[in-house]
Amino acid sequence: MTLQFCFAPFSLLGEPNSLLFLDAEKTKEWGGFVPKREVDQNLLQSILDEIVVRRFDLDPMWLKLVHYESKGKDNYQSKIVNSRFFFSSEGRTNPKEELEATIRSFFVEEPIPEGLIHPVCSFPTRHKFIKQTFGVDFLKRNGIRCDRYEVWKASIHADSVSVVFASYYLMSPASVFGHTMLKFNQKSNEENGSEILDYAVNVSADTPNLDPIRYAYHGLFGGFKAKFSLFPYYLKVNEYNDLESRDLWEYRLSLNKDELELLVSHLWELSRAEFDYYFLNANCGTFLVEWLDVVKPELHLKSKLGGVVSPVDTIKLYTQTEGLVEETKYRPSLYSEITFLIRQMEPEEKKAFYHLLERYQKETFDLHILENKEKGIRQSLVLDAFLLASRYQSFQSPKPNEMQKSNEQKTLEFRSRFPNPTEPQYPSLNPSPPELAHPKSRIVLGGGSSNFGAFLEWKYRFAYHDLLNVSKGSPPNGELVFLDGNIRQYEGKKIELTSLTLVRLVSLSPYNSISKHWSYLFDFGIQTTPIKGKQNQWWESWKQRAETEWERKQVPNLDLAAGWTFADEFSKTKDRFGAISFLLGIKSQFHPGFEQGGRFGPNVQTLYQKEWGNWKVLGGFFFQHYVNQTIKNQIGSTVTLRYLLSQESEFRVEMKKEPNYQEVSGSYHYLF
């Protein structure tokens, strides 16, 4: 298994494992090479002496080429973790030893084992650094030819480079962050409209088939290894644009010829490298930033990123760096194209479209209904939308029956009778580029009143987005929350931890005749719920009075639910009526105050959301049945109104009613 938002279908060079082991073994052997000729020995010694005197091992360019990070005074460690990348056994933590071992390896004159290449050819950017620093060109001096590297570089034939962002895909937990990769643009492909034949590269993390808990654990705390990988761009267009309905945004970077050549040559070196992979701060986005830092060190891109970095944060970094992005291109997904065409239709055209869509898998349909001029049907519009929709559905169910094939062929023949429509201007879809997304962290100050008394509250969210945040540039109809905590103080009582969401993931993709996606909800953390305290005999027992009170208690909580969401997403005025979701799931909580130490059971939830301008409303109700409690059935509801003050600030009003607890509150949210 490979992480979807950093996926690559094959390794950069495609070497078999036997060669990888041999290469790793020879790398260390070559790193200790001692020249036999006296002239070579003298040259090597003079270079080593110069390193000691002038401390070239601490040159910023050398540190970037080997991806060293400072770990304190005179302490360094490379982010690359596999030994194959280093000539010295101490190379990962000792820049001087690695520089010296690299130079020794460049003196190698012995025959190179079949399948391997000379160290100079394996590390062309290291060779360039050594050539510029010490004035020694080992290629010319030793007559070394790097045919394999030159053929590889010529096949990429990059005239420019673009960072590509694939929008969020909530149907896969590994893709909810979005994805970034790098695309090498060939001018000839751009001129003849075949850009999908370019090459692209990203960082992929190989993962075994793990259960969700171990998958999340290793992604958050370590355990996955990542590599740079190269692939034809059309593979990603097919996967992201067509199969997963993800829009692609391409940001062409302003790199000169030398910077572009350095980028490509360092990629060749990184084909040997492995990195520790983490969802939150060492992912496909951060590795691309570090790669670009080698090419444009004067921008100091990596230093501008925070401790937690999502792929969209790196896109913001590129677009906010003056002069770095020179052009932006939007490539709509197949589903976005269908949506665009349907929204252009009049009622009779939609009726004809849905007529074809409902019948093409079941019966031979009569396309001549589109020739009725009295209804004013634009045949080309309806047919184009239908052909795209049938293609989209064929990706979801890749085994079309004979009826489908026959009807699609008939439609193509019928479509050829009508002139092509005007080329659609997809920016009129009003897409929201990722750089417009709100900041990911949040602090909140609020207060309210409840049947437990008035309260003040403080909240902090580590990342990323909830359903009430502005949707511009963020996952539509989705929620992804890490470490969202709420602290309250009720009047006359101690401060309490009201809630702590460790992970909350919600996908409410609309279900319709074209896209039949499920909606789902996953919520894991701590919640506060009223629990009836045990009967306590107070010291005034002479009054023979026993009191029983409801108390707010913090309980571990797990919610799992799935269902459907419905919205009028194909209307000309998008989302006129908002979206409504119906979810069926199970809830479990644990606390000594519950009967049997915990409670669990099925529930039904309904959510409604509607956004217009700066306003958004989110409401719903739930019915909960606990199978192991005396009080089995509970019903609750909530409604929240959000007003967007700016991209970084919101105001919310919330009303909540739960069994034995009601509240109304207001809060100010600052995002940063």
Side-chain angles (χ1 to χ4, degrees), residues 238-387:
N238 179 68
E239 178 186 354
Y240 290 151
N241 260 177
D242 298 344
L243 294 178
E244 298 182 353
S245 302
R246 301 168 72 177
D247 294 336
L248 298 177
W249 295 87
E250 301 175 8
Y251 301 85
R252 181 171 299 185
L253 303 182
S254 177
L255 301 183
N256 60 39
K257 183 178 180 181
D258 290 338
E259 291 169 338
L260 187 58
E261 183 175 347
L262 179 58
L263 187 77
V264 173
S265 61
H266 191 49
L267 171 64
W268 175 265
E269 297 182 346
L270 290 174
S271 68
R272 309 166 65 90
E274 291 183 2
F275 301 80
D276 283 329
Y277 188 97
Y278 301 91
F279 287 157
L280 299 181
N281 59 4
N283 51 52
C284 55
T286 61
F287 292 131
L288 292 186
V289 169
E290 292 176 7
W291 183 19
L292 290 171
D293 249 349
V294 173
V295 177
K296 297 184 79 70
E298 70 278 7
L299 296 181
H300 303 288
L301 294 174
K302 182 64 186 301
S303 65
K304 298 176 183 178
L305 294 174
V308 177
V309 183
S310 68
V312 73
D313 291 327
T314 65
I315 297 300
K316 289 183 179 181
L317 175 64
Y318 301 138
T319 57
Q320 293 169 4
T321 300
E322 184 177 358
L324 182 57
V325 175
E326 59 183 18
E327 182 183 352
T328 302
K329 181 178 180 181
Y330 169 60
R331 184 184 292 273
S333 68
L334 179 58
Y335 189 77
S336 293
E337 293 184 59
I338 297 168
T339 301
F340 171 81
L341 294 178
I342 296 177
R343 287 181 187 167
Q344 311 309 308
M345 295 181 184
E346 300 299 332
E348 285 297 329
E349 292 169 332
K350 286 186 178 180
K351 184 178 179 180
F353 167 78
Y354 287 117
H355 174 84
L356 298 179
L357 193 65
E358 291 170 0
R359 288 165 174 74
Y360 89 104
Q361 298 184 18
K362 305 173 184 177
E363 60 187 69
T364 301
F365 47 53
D366 184 5
L367 291 168
H368 294 287
I369 61 170
L370 298 176
E371 295 182 318
N372 190 337
K373 296 182 179 180
E374 295 179 0
K375 294 184 177 180
I377 294 177
R378 291 168 288 180
Q379 296 95 336
S380 58
L381 176 63
V382 175
L383 290 170
D384 286 344
F386 166 71
L387 288 169

Side-chain angles (χ1 to χ4, degrees), residues 438-498:
H438 61 77
K440 61 181 178 295
S441 297
R442 179 189 70 178
I443 55 175
V444 179
L445 175 62
S449 179
S450 75
N451 60 317
F452 278 59
F455 61 86
L456 292 176
E457 67 177 354
W458 301 266
K459 297 181 182 179
Y460 171 75
R461 183 182 72 203
F462 190 60
Y464 280 91
H465 172 80
D466 65 41
L467 288 172
L468 278 165
N469 287 138
V470 62
S471 59
K472 185 182 298 183
S474 297
N477 304 308
E479 181 167 311
L480 176 63
V481 172
F482 285 104
L483 299 179
D484 189 2
N486 181 2
I487 295 175
R488 281 187 180 182
Q489 183 171 24
Y490 286 81
E491 55 181 338
K493 296 183 179 180
K494 295 181 180 180
I495 292 177
E496 68 171 38
L497 174 65
T498 300

Side-chain angles (χ1 to χ4, degrees), residues 504 506 508 520-523 527 557-565 580-587 601-608 619-624 636 638:
R504 179 175 170 86
V506 181
L508 304 178
Y520 67 85
L521 177 151
F522 171 81
D523 190 315
Q527 290 184 355
N557 177 81
L558 175 64
D559 276 346
L560 294 170
W564 300 273
T565 296
I580 186 168
S581 306
F582 302 94
L583 304 175
L584 175 64
I586 186 169
K587 184 183 186 75
N603 65 20
V604 177
Q605 301 181 53
T606 299
L607 297 172
Y608 173 78
F621 77 90
F622 70 86
F623 172 78
Q624 177 72 55
T638 181

